[in-house]
Amino acid sequence: MASSDPSVAVLPLFKLTDVTFRYADGQVALNGISFAVRPGERVALLGANGCGKSTLLKILGGLQYPASGQVEGFGEPLTAARLDNEETAQIFRRRVGFVFQNSDAQLFSPTVADELAFGPVHMGLSAAEVEERVSSVAALTGIEHLLARAPFQISGGEKKRVALACTLATNPDVILMDEPTAALDPRAQTWLLDLLLKLHDVGKTFIIATHDLETVSQIADTVVVFREDHTIAAVLPASQLESNMKLLVQVNLVHDHLHRHGSTLHSHPHGHGVEHTHDHEEPPHQEV
Amino acid sequence: MHIPDGVLSPSTCAAAAAVMVPIWWTAARKLKTTLGAKQLPVLALGSAFCFTIMMFNVPAPGGTTAHPVAGTLLAILLGPWAAIIGVSTAIAIQALFFGDGGVLAYGANSFTMAFVLPMVGYAVYRLVAGKSSNASNRRALAAGVGSFVGINTAASIVGVLLGIQPLLFRDASGHPLYFPFGLNITVPSMLAAHLLLAGPAEAIVTAMVVRYMQRTGYTLYGCATEATADQNRSRRWESLWVGILAMIALSPLGLIAQGDAFGEWNAEDIRKVIFKVTGQSFVPKGMAHLQAMGYHPLSILQDYAQSGSSANVPGYIGAGILGVSSILVVVTILGRRLTKSEQAHYVHGEPNPSLTPSQSSGGLPIWLSASNSDEASHLSAGKNNPFLQRTLAELTSGTATALRADRWANQSGYLQTLNPAAKLAGFLVLLITAAVSHSLAVLAVLLIFANVAAYASGIPVGVLNRRVLLSAPLFVGGIAIPLMFSFASPGHPLVVLWHSPYVAVTTEGVSAFTLLILRVAATVAMAVLLTMSTPWHKLLAAMRSLKVPSIFVALMAMTYRYITVLLQTADDMFTARKSRTVGRVRDAEARRFVGNGIGVLFSKTLALTDEVVAAMTARGYTGEVKVVAQSVWQRKDKLWIACIFITAIALTLGEHYHG
Ligand SMILES: Nc1ncnc2c1ncn2[C@@H]1O[C@H](COP(=O)(O)OP(=O)(O)OP(=O)(O)O)[C@@H](O)[C@H]1O
Ligand SMILES: [Mg+2]
């Protein structure tokens, strides 16, 4: 594992320098992004809709390449030229797993079992090894009862579980996740947080795009906060997030919530799920 | 335009498939070089898109609606090669799961809808569009013209395929073995329906989708701005290819143009044409035999003329066409009724007009805070837009069929325990047995077998038979009904309906009618039973172990997967549209909605394709399809396949010797 090897641990796993990305229609999605990810670190990408989180994950996953700036993964530059080479691509893809925002895009096989087998089979494992991988990863994610089902016969939350399972099936070192908690019910969210902790304990690195303020401090050590102009507003430890409400208002992730207190209006930052209390002297507190 | 099994002779089916194999092969090779590792996801989503829009209804003139075939559109958007593969895959899934078009007739259906239609349509489009820019109006117009010519050419080829059946295949007593009517009826009726109804609808929708895609900035196929000299050269080669293939596609039309009055051929004419095309001298045995017995291809009409009042042949042809088309219309409407009543619960879901007044403060625009319940109450929402209802109903039932396909496949029963490959092979043998049979007894045995097998497998017999009745025989029903009457099947009168002109139901007619219906029913029953008793993924594995190329199996698998996603998206779009529909929708408006809707769906398909490509790449896919090991054959499976073979041979031989 990367974390147990001190010589690797000092090198950043991913390093971005001044990365800018434009979509084909000229739409800027990332604007001069720089930050680094250490092995074993859990990073959350936090920002309003459309700020570029998914785009950044795709760049980290070697699925898109920036218009300018450098991206390094495992100490080597991530360029189209290098990843077009089948061998380097195979090694890289083996080490990096990706849970996409849209599960329907990720689950393209006729059955859940085929879906779990897809990665291992394309890695060249033997039939017996593939079978063993499929059954153990299904057990780990609690989807054994879904193995024979087709991806269109399962619910949104189940799809997310299957997507996570098929990513884990290739045993990647780094897991990129795009809004993993979005479709999950509260119990499943807790289950996911538990699983992520276990995976963290064995040294996996996570980079998770989210706007779920409630869970961010539990799934991440470091938070990268994006502005709506596709630049980075701050990179800070997750523990400092709550004391930085101003920043979150600035990047439009939380809104100035309007409350009516008797006849006076007052406003304060309000993010969903972040616990907050009202302290008002006068007039007496009475929400409508 | 889908030809079911049992109306084309097996040799016609085989010939069409033989023509398609090199075309598929060329297309696959071309796409492999242009698309690389993206080939599978791009084509799968393209096919799923094609399948989905084939379920849309477009208002056509005269209050009717038509389904777009989409081949030309796909060629304009993704290129002609992708269109060939895309439409072929879509109709393969239609044949397997929806009983739309035959399994044996798959080659013929691919030839007309997946090859002739997009190739001719695309060639005409290129011709009309010339060098105009990607965003020009001329290109949208060219798309309309191209799709119109494409669909009509394809329709006339369907007419030719059907119409040559009675010329080439008749039994000893002169009765047609397969499709009963000649070119003089089939080509004009196919053309009439497409020139007047489906064609204009297809043209308008295609042009509108192209317009929509132009506005979104999409680069139409072959319109790249920065084409290098090298690309230009390959483009030129490509257009040459397209031209040649279009000519091959059009050549059967030459058959019709021969002679002054088409359809009135004799053995000599056929010999000339066949010699011209193949360089060989050959006359269909059946025909030579018939002519020796004094029969002519036009005998049907001549008999009609002799027994009727006047000898005005064109008049009879007109009457024949009119009769066949009107019966087709009636049967189609009846079919709709049947399908509709199945989803009666769905069709009524009008938006609730009684809106509660909302707050007028809080920054809401004033118009939003005023109640409009008075206004809404007298609008008849959705009443006058059958296209919405129909499309929704069909999308919903399509989604349901696709999603619940293995409702019975996963329970325990006889058929479910068989090895899927053995089952697939067995049903294929039975299907061929049914398709070549001309004996009521054999067909009845096969139908009884299907019912018994369904019963033994826990598949409700009623459901099986309803599916059989609902799918293909509607098409045949329309064509087969006139067969009962004296003008189509002269012979011993059973019931005389009319004396002048003479119209009667004849014994020969009734038996010809029953035979055709039973044959189609038996073939459909085999296909339906196979898909009802086998989970989709096992069917795919079976195809693989029967040596169907793995790229094709993977394509079918992914197409089916994304059909469910796109059907759902389309369903949502139409539901959303319906919930916002107040008042009457004019046809033009409805067509615009369908056109834009297809455009939106295509944009969504493109975005999804990018994501799927990324997801597959992220898990190590490099363009090569790898699969896990196959299941093995057990004693039970060998026993089953042996029984099927023996039964099939016995039935066929028995029929041969006992007539
Ligand atoms: N395929 C595309 N073509 C053009 N522009 C795109 C495309 N995908 C995304 N964008 C644009 O790029 C920007 C960043 O998009 P991205 O999907 O990365 O946002 P996000 O932070 O993941 O948002 P969300 O929280 O809604 O998932 C947005 O402005 C978006 O409109
Ligand atoms: Mg996103």
Side-chain angles (χ1 to χ4, degrees), chain A residues 58 63 86 90 93 96 98 100 102-111 114-119 121-122 124 127 130 148 151-153 159 166-167, chain B residues 402-406 410 536-537 540 544 557-558 560-562 564-565 608 611-622 624-629:
Chain A
K58 281 183 197 152
L63 301 168
E86 216 167 278
Q90 278 286 353
R93 310 241 176 264
V96 180
F98 203 138
F100 288 82
N102 177 359
S103 308
D104 276 329
Q106 182 148 23
L107 308 183
F108 45 75
S109 305
T111 67
D114 289 335
E115 200 62 70
L116 300 186
F118 187 92
V121 166
H122 282 87
V130 170
F152 50 80
Q153 292 168 325
K159 278 184 198 167
C166 66
T167 308
Chain B
L403 296 188
R404 277 193 262 116
D406 38 11
N410 285 323
W536 172 231
H537 62 100
L540 291 171
R544 252 182 244 123
M558 253 181 100
Y560 191 75
R561 165 71 186 99
Y562 284 105
T564 58
V565 175
L608 190 60
E611 290 183 325
V612 174
V613 169
M616 292 182 79
T617 320
R619 276 197 279 155
Y621 180 75
T622 54
E624 191 192 339
V625 181
K626 296 179 185 165
V627 287
V628 228

Side-chain angles (χ1 to χ4, degrees), chain B residues 251-265 269 272-274 276-277:
Chain B
S251 61
L253 277 189
L255 294 181
I256 304 176
Q258 302 268 333
D260 0 6
F262 68 74
E264 301 185 35
W265 299 345
D269 293 333
K272 271 193 224 144
V273 173
I274 289 177
K276 232 173 128 180
V277 174

Side-chain angles (χ1 to χ4, degrees), chain B residues 50-385:
Chain B
C50 180
F51 179 96
T52 308
I53 58 177
M54 280 167 104
M55 287 197 125
F56 284 21
N57 274 289
V58 187
T64 58
T65 63
H67 291 282
V69 182
T72 311
L73 177 64
L74 218 56
I76 294 168
L77 295 177
L78 296 174
W81 304 110
I84 290 179
I85 301 290
V87 182
S88 298
T89 314
I91 56 183
I93 290 181
Q94 284 180 328
L96 274 176
F97 283 90
F98 299 83
D100 235 355
V103 174
L104 298 181
Y106 176 60
N109 282 326
S110 299
F111 181 73
T112 55
M113 281 184 282
F115 174 62
V116 174
L117 191 149
M119 278 296 175
V120 172
Y122 185 71
V124 172
Y125 156 79
R126 286 286 295 261
L127 212 69
V128 178
K131 285 202 171 71
S132 57
S133 74
N134 189 51
S136 68
N137 284 332
R138 183 167 157 196
R139 233 163 238 284
L141 179 77
V145 176
S147 63
F148 185 79
V149 179
I151 197 171
N152 280 294
T153 314
S156 35
I157 305 280
V158 172
V160 171
L161 286 176
L162 295 174
I164 55 172
Q165 300 303 312
L167 292 182
L168 302 179
F169 310 99
R170 277 168 187 264
D171 65 13
S173 52
H175 293 298
L177 285 173
Y178 299 98
F179 193 81
F181 298 109
L183 291 166
N184 45 12
I185 289 178
T186 56
V187 176
S189 18
M190 285 304 290
L191 263 179
H194 287 86
L195 280 173
L196 300 175
L197 304 176
E202 173 104 355
I204 292 172
V205 165
T206 307
M208 274 193 309
V209 177
V210 170
R211 235 13 241 117
Y212 179 91
M213 292 316 294
Q214 285 175 324
R215 281 203 301 270
T216 65
Y218 178 78
T219 313
L220 301 172
Y221 181 81
C223 267
T225 38
E226 70 291 278
T228 63
D230 197 35
Q231 273 173 323
N232 269 336
R233 181 137 36 87
S234 76
R235 282 278 144 64
R236 210 171 310 132
W237 273 106
E238 196 153 81
S239 37
L240 187 68
W241 256 105
V242 171
I244 291 172
L245 289 173
M247 272 165 59
I248 299 173
L250 281 169
S251 61
L253 277 189
L255 294 181
I256 304 176
Q258 302 268 333
D260 0 6
F262 68 74
E264 301 185 35
W265 299 345
N266 53 30
E268 191 48 39
D269 293 333
I270 294 224
R271 194 196 328 263
K272 271 193 224 144
V273 173
I274 289 177
F275 183 74
K276 232 173 128 180
V277 174
T278 65
Q280 285 186 5
S281 187
F282 154 84
V283 175
K285 237 189 256 145
M287 270 205 77
H289 184 60
L290 279 172
Q291 298 214 328
M293 290 171 59
Y295 276 95
H296 302 275
L298 261 186
S299 61
I300 292 174
L301 290 160
Q302 279 163 359
D303 286 335
Y304 190 8
Q306 280 151 16
S307 52
S309 50
S310 91
N312 178 358
V313 172
Y316 286 115
I317 296 182
I321 295 167
L322 214 71
V324 172
S325 350
S326 56
I327 290 168
L328 262 176
V329 168
V330 170
V331 172
T332 315
I333 291 168
L334 277 180
R336 286 246 164 79
R337 275 273 161 80
L338 274 169
T339 342
K340 243 191 201 161
S341 66
E342 279 206 332
Q343 304 134 357
H345 66 280
Y346 195 86
V347 179
H348 303 284
E350 313 302 348
N352 184 4
S354 58
L355 299 168
T356 49
S358 53
Q359 306 95 315
S360 50
S361 61
L364 288 180
I366 297 180
W367 58 263
L368 196 54
S369 38
S371 160
N372 64 358
S373 54
D374 307 336
E375 225 177 295
S377 60
H378 64 258
L379 291 170
S380 56
K383 272 235 173 75
N384 288 313
N385 35 355

Side-chain angles (χ1 to χ4, degrees), chain A residues 23 25 27-29 48-55 101 179 211 230:
Chain A
Y23 278 101
D25 56 0
Q27 168 78 38
V28 174
N49 290 131
C51 70
K53 304 181 294 290
S54 300
T55 309
Q101 186 165 9
E179 299 184 18
H211 27 59
H230 316 292

